[in-house]
Amino acid sequence: MSNWSNVLGRVSFVNCDPLFHGLPNDWDVLPAPPAWLTGHLLRKDCLVAPIPAADYAKHHSELMLLPNIGIASDGNVGSVLLFSKRELDSIRDIALPTDSSTSRKLVMYILEHHGLDPKATEMGPDLDHMLNQCDAALLIGDRALDEAHRHPELVKLDLGAEWKNITGLPMVFAVFAAPIDSDKEILRRAHKDLLSNARNFNEDMTFKEDVIISTSNRSGFSNDRVKQYFSEVTNILDDTAVNGLELFLQDVCEMDLPINWLDV
């Protein structure tokens, strides 16, 4: 693999496509599930990666965050969903996937807020198997999008919408992190390139359409579904999103230290 300081990790879901579409060729990209990226980052397989916000809380002494960019929603996220054949108040147990610590913590926080305490079991992210074993199942990313399309009647909660209902704030599911001893100038260059793509996606309609078509072709989702999804998920963190992130880290992850942001 290339020198780790030239490698950017990315979630292998469509929610990162706007950030990584047409990046300069001097970056190599390492795609992986969210929880795997945390390990890659700590082993210095890559310079920067979007990792679950809960993993940042766990490893905050070893990492810093790049400002302005992440994976977030201000209401419905569409790709972090609780499925069940039962009504919410009758759920006795829940299958949790192994690929995102943020969503696992968030769903248990939300269910506790509703006065529920189901037994949690970790298993692979296969909806049929999960619901054969448990009353409810949590899925994230492209699998959640696909299963929601095929089984809309099973969707009981959108975790982004529910966090917004409870707190009034956006939910930041993933943050762009880097090892704390990384070269700051290279980090600033990575930040500049990723943020430039995020802003272009919002402001340049030609770039946005290129991303939507590319994502649709790669993922198999229709152009309309991709366009809708990109109206639900955002890669830009504004001040309100940062407030939501801080609340999640403090209240859900019990992190009592301030976020260590890269100075750009």
Side-chain angles (χ1 to χ4, degrees), residues 5-245:
S5 63
N6 291 323
V7 179
L8 304 181
R10 66 155 290 172
V11 178
S12 51
F13 300 146
V14 301
N15 55 26
C16 271
D17 285 3
L19 290 166
F20 287 85
H21 184 80
L23 271 182
N25 290 331
D26 50 350
W27 295 115
D28 290 328
V29 177
L30 173 63
W36 291 19
L37 286 171
T38 303
H40 284 307
L41 203 59
L42 294 171
R43 291 191 300 271
K44 295 186 176 177
D45 295 331
C46 55
L47 174 71
V48 171
I51 66 170
D55 282 1
Y56 171 68
K58 182 177 180 180
H59 300 287
H60 65 272
S61 64
E62 303 170 77
L63 300 171
M64 66 173 59
L65 298 189
L66 277 60
N68 315 116
I69 53 175
I71 300 172
S73 73
D74 190 16
N76 285 338
V77 64
S79 57
V80 185
L81 304 173
L82 182 69
F83 296 82
S84 181
K85 296 177 181 177
R86 289 172 167 262
E87 293 305 312
L88 195 64
D89 59 5
S90 64
I91 291 173
R92 300 163 298 184
D93 45 24
I94 178 173
L96 301 179
T98 55
D99 50 1
S100 176
S101 57
T102 293
S103 302
R104 295 201 307 268
K105 281 186 173 291
L106 180 59
V107 73
M108 299 310 291
Y109 172 86
I110 288 170
L111 292 174
E112 181 181 0
H113 179 81
H114 285 283
L116 303 173
D117 185 26
K119 177 184 176 183
T121 302
E122 285 194 358
M123 60 183 68
D126 179 285
L127 185 62
D128 289 339
H129 176 68
M130 295 167 101
L131 290 182
N132 280 336
Q133 301 295 318
C134 297
D135 289 339
L138 175 68
L139 288 179
I140 69 169
D142 296 2
R143 291 186 188 91
L145 287 169
D146 183 51
E147 294 292 0
H149 176 72
R150 296 198 299 129
H151 303 292
E153 74 284 358
L154 297 180
V155 177
K156 300 303 178 186
L157 283 178
D158 179 304
L159 271 59
E162 197 62 23
W163 172 260
K164 174 79 171 183
N165 290 339
I166 293 169
T167 67
L169 293 169
M171 176 63 204
V172 179
F173 293 93
V175 291
F176 275 77
I180 203 165
D181 58 351
S182 302
D183 184 299
K184 303 303 186 292
E185 288 308 310
I186 301 178
L187 281 181
R188 291 186 183 102
R189 182 164 61 88
H191 174 263
K192 176 177 177 291
D193 287 346
L194 291 167
L195 181 59
S196 175
N197 266 10
R199 287 174 171 163
N200 282 342
F201 184 78
N202 285 347
E203 299 167 5
D204 183 335
M205 290 302 103
T206 299
F207 181 80
K208 185 171 188 174
E209 190 63 24
D210 285 346
V211 174
I212 289 170
I213 292 171
S214 174
T215 296
S216 177
N217 290 339
R218 181 178 66 82
S219 67
F221 297 125
S222 69
N223 280 14
D224 287 344
R225 183 61 189 101
V226 172
K227 188 178 298 185
Q228 179 189 342
Y229 180 53
F230 285 150
S231 72
E232 296 167 336
V233 71
T234 181
N235 295 126
I236 290 184
L237 304 186
D238 59 16
D239 290 344
T240 307
V242 171
N243 290 340
L245 173 61

Side-chain angles (χ1 to χ4, degrees), residues 234-260:
T234 181
N235 295 126
I236 290 184
L237 304 186
D238 59 16
D239 290 344
T240 307
V242 171
N243 290 340
L245 173 61
E246 291 173 340
L247 183 64
F248 176 79
L249 294 175
Q250 292 164 9
D251 284 13
V252 181
C253 301
E254 300 181 348
M255 176 179 155
D256 57 4
L257 295 173
I259 296 171
N260 182 12

